[in-house]
Each structure stands twice: as C-alpha cells, then as structure tokens.
C-alpha cells in the first residue's frame, strides 16, 4: 500500500510540474517574436524534465522498502526527498527555458539593408 501511495503522489506531482512548464511555454509562445523558439524549447525542456523526474521517482521508490519497514515515516521521507528533487529539477528546467528564450532570435530583427 505504501508503494501505491508513493507512486500516486510522486507521479501526480511530476505531471503537475510538467503541466506548469507547458503553460509557461505556451505563454511564451504567444509572443510573436519568440513563438517558434518557445514551442521547440518548451517540448525539449519538458521532455527532459519528465525523463529526469521519472528517474528520481524510480530511484527513490527503489529505496522505499528500506526506508519504510512498516512505518509511515519512510513514506514521508521518500516523498520529501522526491519533492526536493522535483523542485530542483523544475527550477533548472524553468531557468533553462528562460535562457533559451532570452537567446532566441527575435522575429523582425536581423541585418536590414
């Protein structure tokens, strides 16, 4: 039962943070100057975040039997570790998306005449 709770909470958190990154990317994609770069960068960053997040879920989930030993404290520890890992990952993904968009060429810019 502990495993089911852990994986439900962790994958729900991962999905929620990935959805927030998609929303941020869509908002950046509404800007006509960076729309193309925003769409591509969003999917690259979100895909990487999900891949790393699933790895964190699996690694911490593998340690769950050792952590829990019949007590809820291990479950709380695993969820806490995962929240920290996903938080750092989300921060890095959002920062990477911002940096990509800041460096993207703007529509209408370039060498004129």
């Amino acid at each position: 039962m502990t495993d089911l709770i852990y994986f439900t909470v962790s994958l729900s958190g991962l999905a929620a943070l990935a959805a927030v990154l998609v929303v941020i990317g869509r908002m950046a994609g509404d800007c006509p100057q960076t729309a193309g770069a925003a769409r591509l960068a969003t999917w690259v960053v979100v895909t990487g975040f999900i891949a790393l997040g699933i790895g964190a879920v699996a690694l911490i989930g593998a340690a769950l039997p050792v952590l829990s030993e019949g007590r809820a404290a291990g479950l709380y520890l695993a969820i806490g570790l995962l929240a920290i890992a996903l938080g750092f990952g989300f921060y890095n993904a959002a920062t990477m998306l911002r940096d990509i968009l800041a460096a993207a060429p703007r529509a209408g810019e370039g060498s004129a005449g």
Side-chain angles (χ1 to χ4, degrees), residues 6 10-11 14 46-60 82 85-86 89:
Y6 168 75
S10 62
L11 293 176
L14 178 63
V46 170
T47 303
F49 174 72
I50 291 172
L52 290 173
I54 288 175
V57 168
L59 285 173
I60 295 171
L82 184 71
L86 290 178

Side-chain angles (χ1 to χ4, degrees), residues 78-104:
I79 290 173
L81 288 172
L82 184 71
I84 291 170
L86 290 178
F88 281 134
F90 179 80
Y91 171 77
N92 286 330
T95 302
M96 183 181 302
L97 184 58
R98 181 198 66 203
D99 293 344
I100 290 170
L101 293 177

Side-chain angles (χ1 to χ4, degrees), residues 1-78:
M1 183 66 172
T2 303
D3 294 344
L4 180 62
I5 294 170
Y6 168 75
F7 283 109
T8 301
V9 169
S10 62
L11 293 176
S12 296
L14 178 63
L17 290 173
V20 170
L21 284 172
V22 170
V23 168
I24 291 169
R26 281 189 182 160
M27 290 170 57
D30 289 341
C31 174
Q33 293 182 335
T34 60
R39 280 187 227 110
L40 178 62
T42 298
W43 290 112
V44 169
V45 169
V46 170
T47 303
F49 174 72
I50 291 172
L52 290 173
I54 288 175
V57 168
L59 285 173
I60 295 171
L64 190 59
V66 174
L67 294 173
S68 65
E69 294 182 11
R71 296 185 311 269
L75 175 63
Y76 300 148
L77 179 62

